[in-house]
Amino acid sequence: MSLTTRFAPSPTGYLHVGGARTALYSWLYAQKNGGEFILRIEDTDLERSTQESVDAIMDGMNWLNLSWTKGPYFQTERFDRYKEVIQQLIDSGNAYRCYSTAEEVEAMREEARAKGEKEKYNGMWRDRTDYPEDKPFVIRFKNPLDGSVVINDLVKGDIVISNEELDDLIIARSDGSPTYNLTVVVDDWDMGVTHVVRGDDHVNNTPRQINILKALNAPLPEYAHIPMILGDDGKRLSKRHGAVSVMQYRDDGYLPEALLNYLVRLGWSHGDQEIFSREEMIELFDLTGCNRAPSAFNTDKLIWVNQHYMKSLDPEYVAEHLAWHMKEQGISTESGPALSEIVKVQAERVKTLKEMAQISRYFYQDFTEFDATAAKKHLRPVAEQPLQRVKEKLASISSWQGETIQQAINATAEELELGMGKVGMPLRVAATGAGNSPSLDVTLALLPQEKVLTRIDMALAVIEARKANS
Ligand code: GLU
């Protein structure tokens, strides 16, 4: 039988990094084994599920390039099937009507609490058939009374739960709607899921699901429960810690390759290797290599991985992502240097693509003012002569490129017997509007010669005005 994994999010919000990591591990395991990867939308909570969340989850998966081979399936389209299985469980004596009221169930809990026992439903309707008329009822699963359930968890090792710990859980509410544990079991069974990879917040559900599967004579999948992700304070990762939505990471300027690589390492390792291409991840990933302990999210490390990919992936490819950020920031790149050239010169200098877009504006847009601090420091009367001289030399260049530009700067410094900085810094501020840029020869070569000359004139005008005011 071929291997099948699934990602089964509830569409009650965006795709968060924890979900993305679960999806990644499921996807990797299927890829590695030539199996199927299902996307299943668990939308039975009608009040909290939204189409926007479904879209957001799919956007996140698409952005990370985690493609499903089957689905998406929607649980709300499968209610007839759940009804059928619930009936099957009733018919086979594995489920029953329970007429206990909410107050009665609460009283059972109270009693258990008072005795210091585990709170559970006491099974009072388990063997009764004297059903009252016109009273609401739920359907409960007849959990075995003795013995135990063993989960051979691929991540956590063997987990043994005594059936005494479990009560008869509700599988259909009084309106007939199925509950989470029932729908998951039916779907995993019908969809031929062989490996359930999910967050360990579900580990308490697993023995219940195994018992239902057994009652249905359905094959048992393997389970892999992935420990949760913590924030830097050791608490479960949440909005309080900053971005948790996958698409927020896109907006913040991370490459999908970086987030994926970061997530694969967050909870799994292969020696001390940090960087994994997609192909390597698929080849080397294994559920048994996952950590048993929770992992802490570390933004500095994500930034490091992002920098690695900005520098090492094909600049043409990185440029496609940069283009999105330029657009976000309202910078038209229709004229001006190819974005791949920007990637080549700026990748070393930034943490994210968002930052790269921010500091590359002057390549595409004219400015009307210079950065105040940079101007104050570098556009002073002493800079007038070097700026004028370098402008003359730049103007006479017939072949505008890094080398000829550098020669012009060098010659100016030599002629005026000035250090390079005394020429370079005013020129940098003039050409880019601020005091930071890649090396001048490279920066200027990416700008049209005419534009550089005009900007130097602008800077000279600022110096003039300053002289007049002093
Ligand atoms: N729908 C569940 C959730 O989003 C996951 C169920 C499962 O993986 O079994 O938490």
Side-chain angles (χ1 to χ4, degrees):
M1 198 169 71
S2 84
L3 182 145
T4 300
T5 64
R6 85 314 194 263
F7 177 49
S10 305
T12 55
Y14 43 71
L15 178 65
H16 56 86
V17 287
R21 188 185 56 163
T22 305
L24 171 63
Y25 288 9
S26 298
W27 177 84
L28 281 173
Y29 200 63
Q31 287 279 314
K32 181 187 177 71
N33 293 287
E36 305 280 359
F37 173 57
I38 291 175
L39 175 61
R40 182 169 80 221
I41 305 293
E42 306 209 320
D43 55 351
T44 54
D45 184 341
L46 301 177
E47 259 159 43
R48 295 178 61 225
S49 301
T50 63
Q51 183 59 42
E52 291 84 76
S53 300
V54 173
D55 295 342
I57 290 165
M58 291 193 192
D59 286 350
M61 304 267 294
N62 287 330
W63 183 70
L64 290 170
N65 200 4
L66 297 178
S67 43
W68 48 96
T69 58
K70 280 186 172 176
Y73 299 115
F74 292 84
Q75 289 193 321
T76 43
E77 290 171 7
R78 293 177 42 78
F79 274 93
D80 289 347
R81 174 62 182 149
Y82 303 137
K83 279 217 166 81
E84 195 175 282
V85 175
I86 291 166
Q87 193 56 48
Q88 189 180 329
L89 285 165
I90 295 172
D91 293 346
S92 61
N94 285 300
Y96 61 91
R97 289 185 186 190
C98 163
Y99 286 87
S100 299
T101 61
E103 295 74 43
E104 281 172 334
V105 175
E106 186 46 41
M108 290 173 205
R109 294 218 177 99
E110 287 273 307
E111 202 184 314
R113 265 199 298 269
K115 286 195 212 150
E117 285 171 7
K118 204 174 158 110
E119 292 171 32
K120 42 182 212 179
Y121 173 72
N122 69 10
M124 62 179 286
W125 284 92
R126 196 173 158 111
D127 298 311
R128 280 169 71 168
T129 46
D130 53 332
Y131 299 144
E133 263 174 53
D134 298 331
K135 286 264 159 57
F137 60 87
V138 298
I139 306 292
R140 286 185 186 268
F141 172 69
K142 253 188 206 176
N143 200 76
L145 295 173
D146 43 33
S148 53
V149 186
V150 182
I151 314 170
N152 306 117
D153 195 278
L154 294 172
V155 173
K156 293 179 173 277
D158 285 358
I159 304 170
V160 184
I161 305 98
S162 159
N163 274 319
E164 278 177 21
E165 304 261 315
L166 309 171
D167 61 2
D168 291 349
L169 89 145
I170 298 175
I171 54 174
R173 301 182 189 92
S174 54
D175 64 359
S177 63
T179 59
Y180 159 74
N181 279 298
L182 189 278
T183 57
V184 166
V185 158
V186 176
D187 287 351
D188 285 341
W189 178 29
D190 284 358
M191 296 171 191
V193 172
T194 59
H195 291 75
V196 171
V197 180
R198 61 183 168 200
D200 70 357
D201 46 337
H202 284 289
V203 83
N204 289 332
N205 290 317
T206 305
R208 299 174 180 283
Q209 294 177 10
I210 290 178
N211 280 335
I212 301 176
L213 285 164
K214 282 184 180 161
L216 290 165
N217 285 320
L220 297 183
E222 304 259 9
Y223 291 91
H225 288 98
I226 313 292
M228 61 183 150
I229 302 178
L230 307 177
D232 47 16
D233 55 359
K235 303 231 168 73
R236 194 190 172 118
L237 187 71
S238 74
K239 263 194 185 150
R240 276 182 305 117
H241 299 101
V244 281
S245 142
V246 164
M247 294 316 260
Q248 186 63 46
Y249 284 94
R250 175 200 58 182
D251 296 354
D252 289 350
Y254 294 90
L255 283 163
E257 287 73 12
L259 189 57
L260 271 189
N261 191 142
Y262 178 71
L263 288 178
V264 81
R265 278 286 293 107
L266 186 67
W268 171 81
S269 55
H270 178 73
D272 49 18
Q273 186 172 339
E274 292 292 355
I275 298 297
F276 297 85
S277 66
R278 257 175 121 76
E279 293 68 33
E280 267 179 310
M281 280 184 208
I282 293 168
E283 188 193 321
L284 299 171
F285 180 79
D286 207 343
L287 290 168
T288 48
C290 292
N291 300 343
R292 287 185 178 193
S295 333
F297 199 90
N298 178 339
T299 307
D300 289 338
K301 187 161 169 200
L302 172 60
I303 289 172
W304 178 81
V305 178
N306 199 45
Q307 286 175 312
H308 167 83
Y309 282 106
M310 287 191 297
K311 286 186 275 188
S312 61
L313 288 174
D314 180 0
E316 299 280 347
Y317 169 78
V318 178
E320 290 169 24
H321 289 274
L322 177 61
W324 187 88
H325 287 278
M326 294 301 254
K327 202 161 167 224
E328 273 296 287
Q329 294 180 31
I331 307 169
S332 163
T333 54
E334 261 162 45
S335 59
L339 276 174
S340 54
E341 296 303 315
I342 302 298
V343 171
K344 285 182 208 163
V345 301
Q346 301 282 42
E348 292 277 351
R349 309 172 53 79
V350 294
K351 293 176 175 166
T352 65
L353 292 171
K354 183 176 179 178
E355 208 182 321
M356 195 185 288
Q358 271 157 2
I359 67 161
S360 302
R361 190 177 279 272
Y362 59 81
F363 285 112
Y364 300 92
Q365 272 181 1
D366 287 329
F367 45 86
T368 50
E369 268 172 43
F370 296 95
D371 172 73
T373 319
K376 188 164 178 229
K377 190 157 172 212
H378 300 294
L379 301 184
R380 289 184 296 157
V382 286
E384 188 173 24
Q385 196 192 20
L387 266 184
Q388 262 159 356
R389 187 71 63 91
V390 81
K391 187 195 153 191
E392 282 160 27
K393 294 195 188 304
L394 291 172
S396 68
I397 292 177
S398 56
S399 159
W400 186 250
Q401 51 190 329
E403 211 169 283
T404 50
I405 291 165
Q406 191 60 54
Q407 279 162 8
I409 300 168
N410 292 351
T412 306
E414 259 166 52
E415 282 174 26
L416 300 177
E417 294 184 11
L418 290 171
M420 285 295 284
K422 296 268 189 283
V423 182
M425 280 315 295
L427 178 57
R428 169 170 282 123
V429 176
T432 70
N436 268 313
S437 81
S439 71
L440 268 176
D441 53 340
V442 168
T443 307
L444 266 53
L446 288 173
L447 287 162
Q449 189 171 13
E450 274 314 307
K451 204 180 269 295
V452 171
L453 301 178
T454 314
R455 288 181 181 178
I456 295 174
D457 281 340
M458 253 175 76
L460 285 168
V462 167
I463 296 174
E464 259 336 291
R466 196 159 165 179
K467 272 171 43 185
N469 282 340
S470 64

